[in-house]
Every structure is written in C-alpha cells, then in structure tokens.
Amino acid sequence: MLELLNYDFFLNAVYILLFASIVCAVAGALIVINRMVFLAGAVAHAAYGGVGLAFFLAQPVLPITLAFSIVSSSAIGIYTAKKTSRIDSVIGIFWALGMALGIILIDFTPGYKADLMSYLFGSLLAVSSNDILMVVVLSVISILFLFAFYRQLVLFSYDREFAFVKGVNIVAIHTLIIILSAVSIVILIKIVGIILVIAFLTIPQYLSEGKTNTLMGMILLSCVYTICFGISGLIFSFYFNTTSGASIIIIAGIWFVVEKMFLGIKNGKSEKIAT
Amino acid sequence: MNEEIVSVSGVYFSYNGDFVLENVNLKVKEKDFLMIVGPNGGGKTTLVKMLLGILKPAKGEVKVFGTSPENVLDKIGYVPQKMNNVNDMPLTVLECVLTGLKSGFFKIRYTKNEIKKAEYVLSRVEMDKFKDKKMSELSGGQVQRVYLARALISSPELLILDEPTSNIDPYGSFCFFTTLEEINREKTIIMVTHNLNLLATKINSVACVNKYLLYNDKPELTKEMMEIMYGIHDEHYCSMGAYVAEEIKHLTKCEGENCCHYKGRI
Ligand SMILES: Nc1ncnc2c1ncn2[C@@H]1O[C@H](COP(=O)(O)OP(=O)(O)OP(=O)(O)O)[C@@H](O)[C@H]1O
Ligand SMILES: [Mg+2]
C-alpha cells in the first residue's frame, strides 16, 4: 500500500483532505448543532450556479464558485437570520434557483463540457497545487473564525435568544456560519462533488456529537473521522478503480451503520420511540 | 436609593395585526420584587421580551436603567420561559452557566476565576453535583435551575425571570424562592409566575397583564385584577373557575360565593 505515496496525485489528494477536514469539521459541527443541514444543502446546490457562471465566463471554476457562493450564502444568511416560520420553504427556493441558474448558464455556454461531471461527483485525483493553496488558506481562516468567536458560537448554538440578551450579534453569527458552510462546500465540490457534500458535513459530526461534552471536542473528533473516511475512501477508489468521492461517502456510510449497531448493542440503550 | 430601574410608558405591541399589549405603563424601583401574573397568552412574555430589547414596542417607550434595554444588557440577568429551544448539542452544565458571562473574542478556555464563579452560582441552585453532566441529560426542573445560575453568574443588578419554576417541584420551588428572596436583598427582581401562593410572602408588588396592565404596589391582587385575569365577580359560574376561585379566595379575601367565570385571554 505504501507504494501509493510515490504518486504525486495521491499525495496531493491526501494533503487536500487533511486541510479540508479542518474546514469541514468546523463548518459541519456548526451546521449539525444548529440544525442547518437543509440550509447547507441549499447552499451546496446553489453553488452549481457558480459552476455555471464560471463555465459561462470561461474562468477557473473554484474561485468563481467560491465568490458566487459567498455572495449567495450571505444573502441566504441575512434573509433567514430572523425569520423562523416557513423558513424551510424559502431555503428550498434558494436551493432550486441556484441549481437552475447553473444549468441555464451552462446551456448558454458553447462547446463540449466534459469535466462538468467532476463538479457533481468530485475529482480528488486531479488536484492542482493552486487548489491545495486555496484550501490551506481557507482552513487557516476557519480556525481563526472558530477561535475568535468560540464563546459566541457556543452561546448562539445553544440558545439564540439568550445570546441576543448577552449582546451577541445574532444576524452576524448566523450569516458567518452559513458563509463558512459555503466555503467548506466549495472545497468539498472538489473532493466529493455537489451531490454528496451533505454526507461529508454531517456523518462525521453526527458520530462525534454523542462522544464528547464540548463543541471543541466535537470538532476535533469529526476532523479525525473526516480524515479517516477520506483516506480510506481514497485507497479504496484506487484499488477498485471507483469514483473517489462516492467511495469516501460509502465508507463513511458503512462505518456509520456499523458504529450505530455496535454501540446500540454495547450500551444496551433503550430505543427512544418518537420525538 | 429608590432609583427607577424600569419605566414602561404608553406601550402598545402587536405581532401581526391585533394589539397584544395596549397602553401599558409600569415603573419598577430599585430592589423591588415585582410579580407579573395573568392568564396564558395575556402578554407577560411579550412584555418581558420588550424589557430585554428582544421585541420593540409599536408605540410608547421602554426604558431600563434610564436608557433603552440594548445599552444595559450587561446589568440584566434573564431566565427565559421557553424550554423548546433546548438544543441537544454537547454542552456541560458548567459550560452552560459560563455562557452567562460576557463572551469576548479569542477566548476558548475559561479561567479558574470564571469556573469558581460558575461553581458558586451552581451551588446556590443546588446543581453543583451535576456540573459535568450534559445539558441534554437534565430534567426540566434541573434545566431551569441551571438557567437561574446562568443568569446569576454575571452578577446582574436586575433579574428578569419568566416562569422560572414552572417545571420545579413544590419543595424545590420553595427553596428557589427563598434563594430569590436572598438575592432580592441586593438586586431588583421581575418575575412572571402562575404561583399565586407567593403573594403571601417574598414579593412586594404585583402587575397583572392581560392586554392591559394593572399594577399594585402591595403584594395583593386587587378586585380589578381578578376581573381582567379570570373574570371573577361575574354572575356566571364554571367548574374551571371554581377551582381558581378557591385558590384565590383566601389570597384576595374575595367574599362572593360562586362568583367565578374563567375568562382567560382578552
Ligand atoms: N411569535 C409570535 N407571533 C405571533 N403571536 C404571538 C407570538 N408570541 C406570542 N404571540 C401571541 O401574543 C399573545 C401574548 O403571548 P405571550 O407569550 O406574551 O403570553 P404569556 O402571557 O406569556 O402567556 P403564558 O402564560 O402562556 O406564558 C398570545 O395571544 C400569543 O398568541
Ligand atoms: Mg409566557
């Protein structure tokens, strides 16, 4: 297996996974504890609008998608920060609108669009050094974000109203969490693709949540899970010649089922019925 | 002394259309212990949220410590009513209490001093044994105790509690109120509650909210309050009202027989 380390494309994939796992662990933990999974789904699919825009303008895809997603997620964030009723319908509209925009823009783009599929399903084995640089910068930014606002994030996630009373800027924190999700999603587009993004932002976090008592613990643990899933998925895809993104998600999913079954039996936990 | 802590004048509020509060006036002085009563949906929580700046009046003015609430949030401790916003995220009792402190930036670890403070306020609500438990594993009453500790940790000058004992057992709430009485020696307290037994003791003034607000600077319910709250002194009688009347009769020295008709929200 060690011979894999001789391949540059494999090493690049490992590097990008290591740094991406930081961004994804931070964003994913905040998404999961704030019950924003659906919101993150909308951001992910709206990102396709950015992919379309990049094709249409014939510009590099990741930077354009990143800019597009930051703008659209800020709008989603500010709009959803204070509303509580029917918020899911509004999010659903964003979801479809971004996707539709992407499809139309690509329709308008002449020529053959061979690598379009790679944005839907990821292309972990075709990582450039620019991609790695971008992910490193973004992971530093997300660590700074986490450290700077840690107490606000805990307070906000647990009880928004009380956070407001404690002087936390609710709209700002809510919007920043969504922007961070957008950033992590754009990175993940490279790794697992738009379609599978959500699994990567929720499975590791969900598995970590019950095993720790703090938000920081949850983030660190999901970072470890993300790296393990990522690298084993990568190796799997190499030996079985499968799509890397889907292989990673399958491994995460299988592990999720195994762990849930195993832990359920070990602790002899009673099943909760409803609610 | 006797500085005016809260002043609400001519306040109207509506969520969407109809006024939930109309022409509400209220003054709370330093070291008062005001009890706010009223039927479900009467507007108590709405009033409390205006005192905290969470909601803004449609008309009129809310001043706390002589300014608008947002400017003085540091001096206010708040124990919310809502229990359904409880999140099952990983959070220990101790850390939950610590979130009551000012957040600040680039602070992840809590200092020894902060932890000591948190342990002290937890012991005041008899929850120090549970400090390492997860919030999501506590019972409803235990959560409310932790919320009181979370409000106390910042040493607020004004404590606002919205039905803090709705889930606490009778002996527990007796202790809870005794703690509040102690706290009241130094701090002003505004508390929404349905526990009318308190009228006899701890508190020193009552406000009754049911769209309108009636105020009494003695710890007694007036006849007008009974009228707007429960419609007592109606000729009609209902079994629901009979129970309320029994409960209330000895507290208000209501003489009338079979005089109750539960009216509820106006
Ligand atoms: N977010 C909201 N949107 C619309 N109407 C609301 C909202 N919150 C409360 N109301 C309405 O405002 C009125 C007052 O509600 P409020 O929560 O202030 O009552 P309360 O006196 O605290 O009642 P309870 O004793 O049940 O806590 C109610 O009729 C309620 O239906
Ligand atoms: Mg209420």
Side-chain angles (χ1 to χ4, degrees), chain A residues 133-161:
Chain A
L133 185 67
M134 186 177 99
V135 176
V136 170
V137 171
L138 293 173
S139 67
V140 171
I141 292 174
S142 60
I143 290 174
L144 282 178
F145 169 74
L146 178 67
F147 280 27
F149 296 104
Y150 187 72
R151 287 194 187 184
Q152 275 93 340
L153 289 168
V154 172
L155 184 49
F156 172 89
S157 305
Y158 184 68
D159 185 343
R160 280 187 188 207
E161 193 178 89

Side-chain angles (χ1 to χ4, degrees), chain A residues 231-249:
Chain A
I231 293 186
S232 31
L234 198 59
I235 293 170
F236 181 95
S237 79
F238 187 81
Y239 282 109
F240 295 94
N241 201 16
T242 51
T243 313
S244 56
S247 312
I248 293 172
I249 302 297

Side-chain angles (χ1 to χ4, degrees), chain B residues 74-93:
Chain B
D74 283 353
K75 298 188 190 174
I76 307 176
Y78 172 45
V79 181
Q81 167 183 27
K82 253 199 349 212
M83 303 288 296
N84 58 0
N85 58 359
V86 168
N87 190 328
D88 46 9
M89 68 183 271
L91 182 74
T92 62
V93 167

Side-chain angles (χ1 to χ4, degrees), chain B residues 11 45 83 88 92 111 119 143 185 197 214 235 250 261:
Chain B
V11 159
T45 301
M83 303 288 296
D88 46 9
T92 62
T111 64
E119 285 171 345
V143 170
R185 288 194 203 121
N197 294 322
L214 294 178
E235 300 101 60
H250 72 281
H261 166 60

Side-chain angles (χ1 to χ4, degrees), chain A residues 174-272:
Chain A
H174 175 88
T175 308
L176 284 172
I177 291 177
I178 295 174
I179 293 177
L180 183 70
S181 318
V183 168
S184 67
I185 283 163
V186 174
I187 295 172
L188 282 177
I189 288 176
K190 191 79 199 172
I191 298 176
V192 291
I194 288 178
I195 312 271
L196 301 175
V197 155
I198 287 303
F200 220 49
L201 286 174
T202 50
I203 294 177
Q205 287 73 14
Y206 182 81
L207 288 173
S208 320
E209 190 179 13
K211 297 192 182 67
T212 148
N213 283 335
T214 62
L215 175 61
M216 193 55 96
M218 178 177 172
I219 290 172
L220 291 175
L221 202 56
S222 36
C223 197
V224 173
Y225 269 118
T226 309
I227 293 173
C228 293
F229 292 149
I231 293 186
S232 31
L234 198 59
I235 293 170
F236 181 95
S237 79
F238 187 81
Y239 282 109
F240 295 94
N241 201 16
T242 51
T243 313
S244 56
S247 312
I248 293 172
I249 302 297
I250 283 289
I251 291 205
I254 289 173
W255 182 257
F256 173 84
V257 173
V258 166
E259 198 181 301
K260 282 290 139 189
M261 281 169 57
F262 174 68
L263 277 185
I265 295 163
K266 199 175 75 179
N267 296 344
K269 267 192 197 155
S270 346
E271 282 294 314
K272 207 154 97 177

Side-chain angles (χ1 to χ4, degrees), chain A residues 55-71:
Chain A
F55 269 84
F56 184 69
L57 300 174
Q59 293 296 318
V61 173
L62 280 196
I64 296 287
T65 309
L66 185 65
F68 180 88
S69 296
I70 288 176
V71 172

Side-chain angles (χ1 to χ4, degrees), chain B residues 148-238:
Chain B
L148 179 64
R150 182 178 72 167
L152 289 177
I153 193 172
S154 58
S155 325
E157 288 168 41
L158 168 65
L159 198 54
I160 299 180
L161 308 112
D162 196 351
E163 292 185 35
T165 55
S166 52
N167 286 307
I168 297 184
D169 58 78
Y171 181 69
S173 36
F174 175 77
C175 300
F176 193 93
F177 289 128
T178 311
T179 312
L180 284 184
E181 203 177 11
E182 267 170 49
I183 292 165
N184 183 229
R185 288 194 203 121
E186 302 137 43
K187 299 175 202 301
T188 314
I189 301 181
I190 298 175
M191 177 172 64
V192 176
T193 181
H194 291 297
N195 187 344
L196 295 176
N197 294 322
L198 280 180
L199 279 166
T201 53
K202 338 274 183 195
I203 62 159
N204 73 2
S205 49
V206 188
C208 171
V209 179
N210 192 2
K211 194 163 172 186
Y212 310 102
L213 184 146
L214 294 178
Y215 176 79
N216 188 2
D217 60 4
K218 288 183 226 35
E220 281 169 10
L221 290 176
T222 62
K223 284 197 172 169
E224 292 76 23
M225 287 181 179
M226 305 310 288
E227 181 68 42
I228 75 156
M229 256 213 318
Y230 303 111
I232 290 181
H233 295 288
D234 255 47
E235 300 101 60
H236 302 291
Y237 175 87
C238 67

Side-chain angles (χ1 to χ4, degrees), chain B residues 2-64:
Chain B
N2 267 359
E3 193 196 331
E4 208 165 86
I5 303 285
V6 171
S7 142
V8 176
S9 33
V11 159
Y12 287 71
F13 184 87
S14 89
Y15 283 100
N16 33 30
D18 296 343
F19 282 120
V20 169
L21 292 173
E22 257 184 68
N23 194 20
V24 164
N25 295 285
L26 177 69
K27 303 238 178 298
V28 181
K29 299 227 162 55
E30 197 177 344
K31 303 216 176 121
D32 271 0
F33 191 156
L34 171 73
M35 167 167 140
I36 300 180
V37 294
N40 293 133
K44 303 180 294 299
T45 301
T46 307
L47 177 64
V48 159
K49 286 188 178 171
M50 281 199 285
L51 296 181
L52 293 160
I54 298 171
L55 299 173
K56 292 262 164 249
K59 237 197 294 183
E61 195 179 46
V62 175
K63 284 198 160 178
V64 183

